[in-house]
Amino acid sequence: MLLLLGVSLLALPAATQEPDFDHTATRFLLTGSHEDVRCEACHIAGVFRGTPTDCAFCHDGTGMRAESGKPLDHVPTSNRCADCHTTATWEQVRFDHAAVTGTCSSCHNGFIAPGKSTNHILTSADCNMCHIDVTWNAIRFDHSGVTGSCSSCHDGIQARGKPNGHVQTSADCDLCHATSAWQPARFDHSSVTQPCSTCHNGVAATGKPNGHIQTSAECDLCHTTSAWRPATFDHSAITGSCSSCHNGIAATGAPAGHFTSSSECDVCHTTDRWTPDTFRHMSANYPGDHRNDLACTRCHTANSDPVQWPFPSLQPDCAACHRSDFRSGPHKKYENPDTFYTVEELRDCSGSCHIYTDATLTTIKERRSGEHRVSDGSF
């Protein structure tokens, strides 16, 4: 409400006024406080005809005709006094904002008239940008003059805030949302504080599609916020087996003619490159690496895991492959009479083949141990 003029009219006794003069015959009716004003207060020097009837002619602040005029802190307005004030009293006014020439805040500053409340939105805009002069509460809101951050109002109390399930972010609302509507939003990942999968879970936002590589890694280990593809792949966080991707469909698989095996790719290959392979035999039955660089198919003749032993009854000893190479002549067992070892007795070529003095095998004539090794060039 406006601070109204608190001035009093000059009320002098009407002792000299002609009792039979009817002022209603003029264009200016004497009502309210004007009824008690002496004639000469308005009609200076006894001049009656042509006296102006406008309030401001007398109420001009000079005190010549009336003591009251617009004070220094009066609302700036082009209105005539009578548009708001009555002759009964200055204080009871009917206020009309239509002719106010000053800004709203020149009155609505918390002193002259109610101003912004303590929790009012921070803004440089004048009141009438949002409010109308009929009521404060019916507003047309315009964000253009707001000087505070979005969250200073959109905190879920003063105005609608982030809903449950909103992306966790330190960014202010206007980084993604516009003042015209919440949606659609222009999303910026730069201020997101939570991991990718809290949104990219297939519900809040696009998640891993069916057939995605099994991994415990977050999206940004491979993908970027600008596009899903191309991706920079890192095997370090893969939880699935190699073949779950390297099956020839999701990713490169074993080529035609590849060794048939139930082993996973990483038994032979590394994530850096396919070749050269790094396979090592770990079976207790493996005799060791031969001196000659044998191809896998020399033993795995079907190009698969099972070994096709030429003499399976002698596996896993040397003789299972080399029985036909055995010569009894150099392998004397004892003398008196000369007797020779069989291939079955010396099936492990790297074992002992001592020469004894007789059939009792109690006295060794010549010790021979480890005469053959798989790493030797020949027997």
Side-chain angles (χ1 to χ4, degrees):
M1 297 297 294
L2 295 175
L3 181 64
L4 304 178
L5 292 172
V7 294
S8 62
L9 293 171
L10 179 61
L12 299 176
T16 59
Q17 184 159 333
E18 294 292 337
D20 59 348
F21 180 75
D22 184 6
H23 215 281
T24 59
T26 70
R27 291 179 299 166
F28 190 82
L29 300 180
L30 295 180
T31 60
S33 296
H34 285 130
E35 291 180 319
D36 297 326
V37 177
R38 294 177 59 190
C39 301
E40 58 267 27
C42 296
H43 302 286
I44 304 300
V47 178
F48 292 91
R49 187 179 298 278
T51 301
T53 59
D54 187 69
C55 306
F57 178 75
C58 292
H59 295 281
D60 59 2
T62 64
M64 291 182 62
R65 296 178 177 81
E67 292 183 357
S68 58
K70 283 185 183 178
L72 295 177
D73 59 353
H74 191 280
V75 176
T77 176
S78 60
N79 271 348
R80 297 170 66 253
C81 306
D83 289 337
C84 299
H85 299 280
T86 67
T87 58
T89 175
W90 282 115
E91 284 77 12
Q92 294 180 358
V93 299
R94 54 184 184 279
F95 189 73
D96 185 356
H97 285 81
V100 174
T101 57
T103 61
C104 304
S105 57
S106 62
C107 292
H108 290 283
N109 53 20
F111 297 100
I112 299 175
K116 293 177 182 175
S117 59
T118 54
N119 63 346
H120 192 282
I121 296 171
L122 296 173
T123 175
S124 60
D126 209 22
C127 310
N128 61 358
M129 179 72 77
C130 300
H131 300 278
I132 59 176
D133 55 24
V134 177
T135 175
W136 281 114
N137 298 325
I139 61 172
R140 53 185 185 278
F141 190 71
D142 186 345
H143 285 83
S144 61
V146 174
T147 56
S149 63
C150 305
S151 56
S152 62
C153 292
H154 290 283
D155 55 4
I157 300 173
Q158 293 191 71
R160 185 172 58 176
K162 292 178 182 176
N164 294 330
H166 191 281
V167 177
Q168 294 181 26
T169 174
S170 59
D172 213 17
C173 310
D174 57 359
L175 185 64
C176 300
H177 301 281
T179 57
S180 55
W182 283 114
Q183 294 178 340
R186 55 186 186 280
F187 191 71
D188 187 344
H189 286 82
S190 61
S191 297
V192 174
T193 56
Q194 62 193 149
C196 309
S197 57
T198 55
C199 291
H200 291 285
N201 53 18
V203 181
T206 304
K208 293 177 182 175
N210 294 330
H212 190 281
I213 295 170
Q214 295 179 32
T215 175
S216 59
E218 279 297 329
C219 310
D220 56 359
L221 184 65
C222 300
H223 304 281
T224 65
T225 57
S226 56
W228 285 114
R229 295 180 180 178
T232 53
F233 190 71
D234 187 345
H235 286 83
S236 62
I238 298 299
T239 56
S241 61
C242 305
S243 58
S244 62
C245 292
H246 291 284
N247 53 18
I249 301 172
T252 304
H258 190 279
F259 188 85
T260 303
S261 174
S262 60
S263 298
E264 281 296 329
C265 309
D266 55 2
V267 173
C268 300
H269 304 282
T270 67
T271 57
D272 296 328
R273 54 189 175 274
W274 284 113
T275 57
D277 62 75
T278 56
F279 181 75
R280 292 292 179 268
H281 290 86
M282 303 302 294
S283 172
N285 293 332
Y286 182 63
D289 292 342
H290 290 56
R291 179 176 180 181
N292 293 329
D293 188 13
L294 301 179
C296 302
T297 52
R298 286 289 299 274
C299 298
H300 300 276
T301 55
N303 198 31
S304 60
D305 281 331
V307 176
Q308 286 72 39
W309 302 90
F311 304 98
S313 63
L314 298 174
Q315 64 173 300
D317 295 314
C318 305
C321 289
H322 298 284
R323 188 182 191 287
S324 58
D325 297 324
F326 181 76
R327 299 291 181 268
S328 60
H331 300 93
K332 183 183 286 188
K333 186 175 183 181
Y334 57 85
E335 297 176 341
N336 300 317
D338 289 345
T339 303
F340 298 89
Y341 287 101
T342 66
V343 67
E344 285 75 13
E345 291 177 301
L346 298 181
R347 59 194 296 163
D348 179 7
C349 303
S350 62
S352 301
C353 55
H354 305 311
I355 300 176
Y356 297 89
T357 56
D358 54 38
T360 62
L361 303 180
T362 55
T363 303
I364 297 175
K365 178 182 179 181
E366 182 181 345
R367 293 179 178 276
R368 295 188 298 184
S369 298
E371 293 293 320
H372 306 293
R373 293 285 183 272
V374 293
S375 57
D376 292 342
S378 64
F379 285 108

